[in-house]
Amino acid sequence: MVRSLLRPGSDTTGSQKEHLEDPLFTRSIGRALDVLSAFHKSEQPLSLSEIAQSAQIDRSAAQRIVHTLRRLGYIRRDEHGRGFLPDIRILDHTLDYLRLNPLVRRATPVLLELRRNVRERVDLSLFDDLRVVYAARMQSKRETFHATLVGHSVPTYCSSGGRAILSQLESSEVDDIIDRSDRTPLTPRTLTEPATIRDKVAEARDKGYALTLEEILIGEIAIGVALPGPDGKPAGAIHLAGSLSDWKPEDFVTRFAPLISEAAMDITR
Amino acid sequence: MVRSLLRPGSDTTGSQKEHLEDPLFTRSIGRALDVLSAFHKSEQPLSLSEIAQSAQIDRSAAQRIVHTLRRLGYIRRDEHGRGFLPDIRILDHTLDYLRLNPLVRRATPVLLELRRNVRERVDLSLFDDLRVVYAARMQSKRETFHATLVGHSVPTYCSSGGRAILSQLESSEVDDIIDRSDRTPLTPRTLTEPATIRDKVAEARDKGYALTLEEILIGEIAIGVALPGPDGKPAGAIHLAGSLSDWKPEDFVTRFAPLISEAAMDITR
DNA sequence: GCAAGCGTATCGTTCAGCGATACAGAAAAA
DNA sequence: TTTTTCTGTATCGCTGAACGATACGCTTGC
């Protein structure tokens, strides 16, 4: 299966060669966004040389591109002296994406309503091939730093929302996604065997929701339901996550499965 | 006062001429980001011609740039046929910005802790000249769609966080910001007179926090405290917002002023 | 029916981006 | 200390990549 759009992680080597063939492709733009994407792999401010290396361009190009992105407000210097960081204009585009995304628009009010009746964490995630990206997060009492950030993503194959999404796809697509996924376990309880995952997906198809136990985070239980896009294919999912120290799995399901299914119905209309 | 970085809204006419002088400025990048910024002013999918018009380029350029951004995953077609929308790769950069922003890193755990002890909305906003941009939001029970989105911004001069930030600036800078702000009132109670605003800012400087009553949203009371960056100048603010149907202003202040001040101290270390 | 919009494709000209080169300042190594 | 090696910044001639005019097939609306 050929994917038409590049995804993070997949573009490190392939991009240049792919674009050589494309007469409409504007290389400067690709390079500029490669520069911005250099930060994906970093936990610290990046120097010009590091950016150049990461974006596979020379220092001169990095200099000019960084200069430009800086003037435009997408990159700034780190206050403590050395290196560069992404700057705030990024968030303007974030807002555009979220505001204009039809699923986010429809789901947010329902999720807020759901959150009113529930003390656990409620999330909306968007389907993006091998991963599922958090677009809206409504925290519970107990959260970590990472769990609060928009843009965070988890693998499709082992998350509750992802499994729910898989359950609405053709089995060939499911196999394809499982196959292409990097299935290094995130916790000791992450299911990585294709056959086991397929079973769980089938179970989700039967029940209408997917349940995961500590597959991404120790101590976490999560239930997810897929949301269809206009073509009928799943475009995202909503999920509800709680702590195993508060809930027996059965109780979690009997309490929340109806609520989250109803919320999904409301969103689908 | 000259601003070195462009800000949204300020770049519609000035950008081209400004950049003509700059030999290091890579125009293609500017054009590409102008295309992405076309969505700032839109509530719907945009056609190529609309994008061209908004970015002040011809249809051919818009075509090539949109094509490129599409291949890279930053723009997609609307599912219902016509027009284009921002695509999900935007969120990867959102995550980079938030993860790497030192203030967000330091503030988030404290805000989560604060949110545990408080039933009202808690926010972190970042100072960006005339506006203040929401970077992290922790909802209360009662929220609207807009109030949940990262990237949303409010004017500095009339928001609680913005006033708190102003109270930490030189009075010449305060005057400059008030002067350059578009002060069309957002509600009947928005304060727009420079003298009145300066008074409120002085009051915030005295008390250590800023209080606003229905200046942005009817029925809302908000209290804000500034957060200093490494150079001592304010880089953002935290705020706490409640409903006037739940709180008398005096009670709101006596209850939350100590909590939010302490949280700000914790963040500042 | 024609008109006007959409998104897409092609191609020769030219000017904008490339990348080699140089420089000042601050760390890090000697 | 001096030397080296990083920073980030600035300059400039060459050339190939982006420009923009032009054309096309489709759908939508009059």
Side-chain angles (χ1 to χ4, degrees), chain A:
Chain A
M1 183 194 183
V2 176
R3 284 174 295 146
S4 58
L5 295 177
L6 293 173
R7 291 302 172 212
S10 73
D11 57 345
T12 28
T13 54
S15 58
Q16 290 106 332
K17 287 184 184 175
E18 251 183 70
H19 301 327
L20 278 180
E21 314 282 319
D22 185 345
L24 265 79
F25 191 85
T26 302
R27 282 148 235 246
S28 328
I29 299 175
R31 277 187 283 263
L33 293 170
D34 283 349
V35 163
L36 272 184
S37 301
F39 294 100
H40 293 167
K41 307 149 208 159
S42 172
E43 299 296 325
Q44 277 124 21
L46 292 177
S47 74
L48 267 185
S49 313
E50 291 172 311
I51 289 172
Q53 190 187 358
S54 184
Q56 312 210 55
I57 53 182
D58 64 27
R59 255 173 51 98
S60 280
Q63 177 200 177
R64 260 174 292 116
I65 295 169
V66 166
H67 173 87
T68 303
L69 290 172
R70 203 136 75 99
R71 286 200 66 78
L72 295 171
Y74 293 90
I75 283 184
R76 66 160 195 235
R77 301 210 51 172
D78 180 44
E79 298 94 332
H80 296 290
R82 60 162 60 353
F84 298 92
L85 288 174
D87 203 358
I88 199 164
R89 282 224 56 189
I90 301 282
L91 293 190
D92 295 327
H93 299 288
T94 306
L95 182 61
D96 289 342
Y97 176 71
L98 296 174
R99 286 180 19 241
L100 295 170
N101 184 297
L103 199 54
V104 175
R105 277 171 108 126
R106 276 184 288 132
T108 308
V110 178
L111 288 187
L112 287 165
E113 179 61 34
L114 178 59
R115 181 64 184 77
R116 268 177 215 123
N117 306 319
V118 156
R119 317 194 63 206
E120 310 300 327
R121 196 186 80 215
V122 176
D123 290 318
L124 168 67
S125 61
L126 302 174
F127 180 38
D128 184 32
D129 197 35
L130 304 185
R131 61 182 192 152
V132 145
V133 184
Y134 291 102
R137 322 209 60 172
M138 284 134 211
Q139 309 82 354
S140 67
K141 309 242 148 186
R142 161 181 31 227
E143 293 305 337
T144 64
F145 172 59
H146 253 84
T148 63
L149 295 184
V150 166
H152 200 75
S153 65
V154 292
T156 302
Y157 82 92
C158 67
S159 63
S160 62
R163 291 256 176 83
I165 288 167
L166 291 178
S167 78
Q168 302 300 112
L169 293 175
E170 304 287 332
S171 71
S172 63
E173 296 175 281
V174 176
D175 291 346
D176 182 50
I177 287 178
I178 295 176
D179 187 50
R180 297 200 331 273
S181 291
D182 170 18
R183 296 197 302 283
T184 46
L186 301 176
T187 75
R189 296 195 65 184
T190 307
L191 303 178
T192 60
E193 271 304 310
T196 322
I197 298 168
R198 278 195 292 267
D199 285 352
K200 286 285 176 188
V201 168
E203 189 185 317
R205 188 158 29 226
D206 280 355
K207 301 197 171 168
Y209 60 82
L211 191 75
T212 54
L213 282 164
E214 302 189 301
E215 292 200 44
I216 289 188
L217 222 60
I218 301 286
E220 188 181 80
I221 178 171
I223 183 170
V225 178
L227 300 173
D231 55 355
K233 292 210 166 195
I238 54 179
H239 14 118
L240 215 151
S243 168
L244 283 174
S245 61
D246 297 339
W247 296 94
K248 284 187 180 175
E250 315 87 78
D251 297 342
F252 191 81
V253 169
T254 50
R255 167 105 171 83
F256 295 123
L259 286 173
I260 196 172
S261 301
E262 192 191 359
M265 290 295 296
D266 285 355
I267 294 168
T268 315
R269 224 173 306 270

